Amino acid sequence: MSLKPLLLSTTLAGLLATAAGATPVTLYDLFSLNRLANMGGQLLVSALRGVADLRYAHMDIRPLDGRMILTGLELSPYEQPDCLVTLDRAVITTAPLDQIAYGALDIDVMGAEMSEGCFSASERRDMAEAGITRFALDRGEIRLEYDYASAALTVDAQGVSEGLAEMRAHVAFDYFAVNFDAEEPVADLAYAEIELTDRGVWSALGAQISPAMLSPDVLVPMLVGELLPQWRDPSVPLPTPEPAPAPSDGKGDENPATPATPAPPPVNAPELDAAYDVIEAGVAAFLAFAESPGTLRLEFTPEAPVRLTEDHFEDFALFVADLAPALLTDADRPDTRLTREDGDLIAAWVAGGDVPFSDGDILRLSHALLSGVGVPRNPERAMELLTPLLEAGHAEALEMALETLDALDPAFAYRIAREAAAAGDRMAFAQLDRLEALVPMGDVIALQEETGDRPEFDGTEPARALRARAEAALTGLGAPRRYTVAYFYGLLALASGDMASASIVNELETMADRMEEEDAERWLGLLGQVNDHASEEWFAVQAPATLSPAPSDQ
């Protein structure tokens, strides 16, 4: 027997032995959640194959991770064999199942394309006239994030089609829900921006527009007539009324007609003039884009969140007054990039140098570092810059930090939110419990004890006032959240006869049940010290009792 057949037989025997000795699949493995989800996906594919020729390269569904991946998709309906839809990759991501604070959905598509056979002859002709030779989405993504506690919703979308255009949008709703009775959304718009960048489509579309139409003398009146018909041009006087007929004297000699008084020029309401200015500025921005195609950006920047209604889409003046729209080009946008001098100042500050930053400089640099616009995003560096202002209680710095709590170290975020809530900020107060869940309770107590004097009691405060102090320290709204202070005043309020304070005392004494063993022992020891301090303060202000003489043995 030659060497080669011997090696082949030995290898084959090894492979067979490996398969025979493989770990058996248990019933539990067959019914795992991920496996069931993939089986469900395969059943759905099988059902779709009843109406279309469908193939794919790979599919992976992981519900526990909130993720599904599909690659190499080819789909052609049986009734339209010339129509072919291809997709290189699609990823659908949701919030993990163990995340209950917010909902998220992200659909990311790459390399989606439809062949010409998917469109009718008239549709293909219209696309050809518009310069569209391929119907493809090279990259598309839409992401929704919904905070269950505040009902805030953010929507981000982007799409890129090479040779045509690129689109990006960001919409932030301060509140979003659905009114089931009215069957319509309830949406408070806080901010929105839609950005369109030309990548060749305007060269085809612009060629179909008459040059006469690309004139402010044509576009502005046309849009005003469509959107703002009640506006009147102040430079054009109203028609002069006809002369009043002269009264007859009955003798045939008529007096001359009384000449009519010329009509005064029209006066528009301020909101109408503001809406007209928006149309005029928007036309100017569009014509600048038409002359030099680049990026066209539509922004909505209301001063405060606005509850959207049907009136906003029927009354353009109200739309402008509430939502503050603006159409901008690249030239209209301010250059927010940090300069080399800014970078040198930041580097010197990081190195420990004495850099004379003004409050305005700190806020400007921190905003850029937090947003990532004008400089690579760096939340940690931004918080380092903001720290002096935060320690001084600067309102704008606190607001900036509160908007980015999730990007910060949880302990540092808790310190910021605690200080802001003590100053009465309800948005910060709403974050305290969530942040405490991210930080070990022992560290929370340590953070609370970093600042603050030892509580005192002079015996003059009524029980209700003591309970109010305890509640303020327990909740952290209007006073720094500090559990030892809450326990101190809760004990004294209860001792003064306020039975409602018992719930405060009980809550703090049972807090050890939520801690690790080491933290629980430390907390109980700290409560013991507070109890001793409260007892000392209590007895120090009590009036001495008159003692009765001891009974005689006689």
Side-chain angles (χ1 to χ4, degrees), residues 189 275 278 298 300 306 308-309 311-325:
L189 180 67
V278 167
L298 178 61
F300 299 91
V306 175
L308 298 179
T309 65
D311 293 340
H312 286 106
F313 302 97
E314 296 175 355
D315 185 344
F316 186 70
L318 177 65
F319 182 87
V320 169
D322 284 355
L323 302 182

Side-chain angles (χ1 to χ4, degrees), residues 374-399:
V375 68
R377 179 180 168 87
N378 192 334
E380 291 77 13
R381 182 60 44 77
M383 286 301 105
E384 291 176 8
L385 283 169
L386 279 177
T387 297
L389 297 184
L390 294 173
E391 291 176 346
H394 192 284
E396 192 172 346
L398 285 172
E399 182 180 357

Side-chain angles (χ1 to χ4, degrees), residues 290-549:
E291 183 178 353
S292 178
T295 297
L296 202 59
R297 178 188 180 96
L298 178 61
E299 289 186 353
F300 299 91
T301 56
E303 293 183 1
V306 175
R307 177 68 52 90
L308 298 179
T309 65
E310 291 183 0
D311 293 340
H312 286 106
F313 302 97
E314 296 175 355
D315 185 344
F316 186 70
L318 177 65
F319 182 87
V320 169
D322 284 355
L323 302 182
L327 190 64
L328 310 169
T329 63
D330 287 333
D332 299 322
R333 299 179 61 184
D335 188 355
T336 58
R337 292 174 297 181
L338 298 190
T339 64
R340 179 177 298 178
E341 290 74 13
D342 291 329
D344 293 341
L345 288 174
I346 294 175
W349 183 84
V350 171
D354 185 14
V355 180
F357 282 135
S358 67
D359 290 357
D361 289 335
I362 293 177
L363 293 172
R364 177 178 61 86
L365 298 175
S366 299
H367 181 271
L369 290 167
L370 285 172
S371 64
V373 177
V375 68
R377 179 180 168 87
N378 192 334
E380 291 77 13
R381 182 60 44 77
M383 286 301 105
E384 291 176 8
L385 283 169
L386 279 177
T387 297
L389 297 184
L390 294 173
E391 291 176 346
H394 192 284
E396 192 172 346
L398 285 172
E399 182 180 357
M400 190 181 298
L402 289 174
E403 292 176 353
T404 56
L405 287 179
D406 290 337
L408 308 179
D409 173 73
F412 186 63
Y414 179 77
R415 183 184 290 111
I416 293 172
R418 176 174 174 264
E419 293 175 359
D425 191 307
R426 291 188 174 274
M427 185 177 75
F429 169 69
Q431 300 293 330
L432 285 179
D433 290 325
R434 182 182 68 84
L435 292 170
E436 280 191 4
L438 303 177
V439 181
M441 187 54 69
D443 294 343
V444 169
I445 303 301
L447 288 170
Q448 293 181 357
E449 294 301 309
E450 286 179 351
T451 58
D453 298 328
R454 195 181 192 197
E456 298 178 349
F457 175 64
D458 60 8
T460 61
E461 290 186 81
R464 183 175 298 179
L466 293 171
R467 172 159 54 91
R469 281 201 182 197
E471 289 174 343
L474 178 65
T475 61
L477 182 61
R481 178 176 287 192
R482 191 177 172 193
Y483 293 140
T484 56
V485 172
Y487 188 58
F488 176 83
Y489 287 114
L491 287 173
L492 293 176
L494 182 60
S496 300
D498 185 83
M499 302 308 297
S501 301
S503 62
I504 298 176
V505 173
N506 292 337
E507 179 179 348
L508 292 165
E509 288 179 344
T510 58
M511 193 178 289
D513 298 339
R514 307 197 306 267
M515 302 181 186
E516 299 292 336
E517 183 176 355
E518 183 177 349
D519 290 337
E521 291 180 0
R522 180 168 173 255
W523 172 241
L524 292 175
L526 191 57
L527 287 185
Q529 297 175 19
V530 175
N531 199 314
D532 291 341
H533 175 49
S535 298
E536 293 173 3
E537 295 284 312
W538 175 263
F539 287 117
V541 299
Q542 301 307 312
T546 302
L547 300 178
S548 302

